């Protein structure tokens, strides 16, 4: 049986094995990704470790942005996954697989109009309900391990200064049990993360591209403080977004070069 350990921050933990994941539940921690990285540095991490925090006090998103989560109203957890002979060029497949797994799990619960806002936000009805943070460890050209952070808004109703945010509750007008939601996400995450060495990456990226928010539509982007519009055409296997500008020219940019806006 899983239970919340009586601890705060980086105290002792209680864990239990459950299918592929070894689940560790915490009352609170600043960041589930950082919690796993500290364990990794001490040689305590094992393939499939999953840390689930009831309260993540200093969660992080992409570009060092803060991920705001409300205790008991959010689902925040991180996964440690190792790979053998997984080339660094395929690293984006981790992010794509996680995004597709989350969409699959939420679709099974009837969450409507799901899409992926490049590179790693999950939207419902054009509002952000979940975010993904991937931090990889490379060695000699191969991806050796990855820390996968996932934050999902479950029952929040207020999002101060976050006009593009939503939760499962605000989208569906009902309250959700976080354990139920976690179980809905767990199976597709297992299926994809533990089979990446054998599945078709071409099909994976195609499925990801097909779920892209604003696919084949004009969207607003920011590059080096310059705002411009372009049509989103897809993504590459390295995670770059494929754009078409007003002249019909194709542009390929990565997430460190480009930011996608919510504005139309």
């Amino acid at each position: 049986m899983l239970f919340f350990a009586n601890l705060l921050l980086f105290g002792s933990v209680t864990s239990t094995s459950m299918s592929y994941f070894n689940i560790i539940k915490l009352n609170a921690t600043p960041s589930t990704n950082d919690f796993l990285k500290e364990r990794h540095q001490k040689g305590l991490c094992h393939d499939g470790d999953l840390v689930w925090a009831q309260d993540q006090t200093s969660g992080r998103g992409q570009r060092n942005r803060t991920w705001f989560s409300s205790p008991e109203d959010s689902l925040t957890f991180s996964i440690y996954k190792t790979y053998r002979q997984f080339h660094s060029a395929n690293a984006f497949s981790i992010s794509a697989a996680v995004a597709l797994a989350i969409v699959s799990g939420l679709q099974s619960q009837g969450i409507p109009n799901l899409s992926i806002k490049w590179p790693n936000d999950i939207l419902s009805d054009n509002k952000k309900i979940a975010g993904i943070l991937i931090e990889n460890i490379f060695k000699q050209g191969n991806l050796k391990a990855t820390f996968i952070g996932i934050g999902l808004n479950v029952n929040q109703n207020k999002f101060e200064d976050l006009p593009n945010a939503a939760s499962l509750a605000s989208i569906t007008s009902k309250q959700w049990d976080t354990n139920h939601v976690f179980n809905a996400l767990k199976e597709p995450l297992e299926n994809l993360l533990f089979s990446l060495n054998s599945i078709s990456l071409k099909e994976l990226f195609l499925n990801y591209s097909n779920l892209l928010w604003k696919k084949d539509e004009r969207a607003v982007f920011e590059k080096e403080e310059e705002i411009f519009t372009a049509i989103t055409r897809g993504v590459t296997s390295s995670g770059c977004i494929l754009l078409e500008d007003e002249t019909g020219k194709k542009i390929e940019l990565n997430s460190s070069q480009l930011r996608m806006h919510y504005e139309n």
Side-chain angles (χ1 to χ4, degrees):
M1 178 180 295
L2 301 178
F3 60 96
F4 286 101
N6 292 319
L7 59 93
L8 184 63
L9 305 183
F10 291 98
S12 60
V13 300
T14 299
S15 64
T16 184
S17 294
M18 186 174 178
S19 60
Y20 286 109
F21 290 135
N22 177 49
I23 301 174
I24 304 166
K25 294 188 88 171
L26 310 178
N27 279 340
T29 189
S31 161
T32 52
N33 262 30
D34 288 348
F35 183 90
L36 278 176
K37 287 193 289 185
E38 289 235 346
R39 285 172 64 87
H40 177 265
Q41 291 171 1
K42 297 174 182 177
L44 299 176
C45 259
H46 303 283
D47 185 39
D49 280 356
L50 185 154
V51 173
W52 177 2
Q54 185 179 34
D55 184 8
Q56 182 172 248
T57 59
S58 301
R60 293 179 292 113
Q62 289 291 322
R63 303 172 190 259
N64 291 318
R65 294 188 180 93
T66 300
W67 171 267
F68 295 96
S69 62
S70 175
E72 300 182 1
D73 286 337
S74 300
L75 186 57
T76 53
F77 60 96
S78 293
I79 299 164
Y80 175 75
K81 185 77 189 73
T82 61
Y83 290 97
R84 295 180 180 177
Q85 303 301 317
F86 199 82
H87 198 275
S88 59
N90 295 326
F92 180 68
S93 63
I94 303 288
S95 182
V98 172
L100 290 171
I102 293 172
V103 168
S104 176
L106 294 177
Q107 283 178 334
S108 74
Q109 302 304 302
I111 306 303
N113 302 321
L114 290 160
S115 59
I116 303 169
K117 179 177 176 286
W118 178 84
N120 50 20
D121 289 344
I122 308 301
L123 311 187
S124 174
D125 285 343
N126 299 316
K127 297 285 188 178
K128 179 177 178 179
I129 58 173
I132 303 162
L133 176 64
I134 308 287
E135 298 179 277
N136 295 319
I137 298 175
F138 299 100
K139 185 176 181 181
Q140 297 178 341
N142 287 325
L143 173 64
K144 305 304 293 184
T146 185
F147 303 92
I148 303 162
I150 297 168
L152 173 67
N153 298 327
V154 180
N155 288 317
Q156 295 96 321
N157 288 308
K158 295 182 179 179
F159 301 92
E160 294 183 9
D161 301 321
L162 295 170
N164 301 305
S167 67
L168 302 188
S170 67
I171 292 291
T172 64
S173 300
K174 73 174 187 178
Q175 293 293 294
W176 290 79
D177 179 84
T178 54
N179 289 282
H180 177 81
V181 175
F182 173 79
N183 287 329
L185 300 183
K186 184 174 71 66
E187 183 175 355
L189 281 168
E190 286 177 335
N191 289 342
L192 280 171
L193 287 176
F194 287 88
S195 61
L196 269 180
N197 284 316
S198 58
I199 67 175
S200 167
L201 296 185
K202 181 179 180 180
E203 184 177 355
L204 183 81
F205 296 134
L206 177 61
N207 290 335
Y208 179 94
S209 289
N210 287 339
L211 280 168
L212 275 178
W213 184 62
K214 296 290 186 180
K215 175 76 183 301
D216 296 325
E217 296 180 25
R218 191 166 297 280
V220 179
F221 298 89
E222 181 178 345
K223 181 178 182 287
E224 297 176 348
E225 299 184 357
E226 176 190 355
I227 306 297
F228 67 97
T229 62
I231 298 173
T232 304
R233 292 303 188 194
V235 293
T236 69
S237 60
S238 63
C240 292
I241 192 168
L242 295 173
L243 303 178
E244 182 180 318
D245 68 14
E246 295 179 353
T247 69
K249 179 182 177 182
K250 296 295 177 24
I251 309 169
E252 183 178 313
L253 295 166
N254 64 43
S255 58
S256 66
Q257 300 171 304
L258 190 71
R259 179 186 173 196
M260 188 175 190
H261 285 217
Y262 277 96
E263 294 88 346
N264 293 319

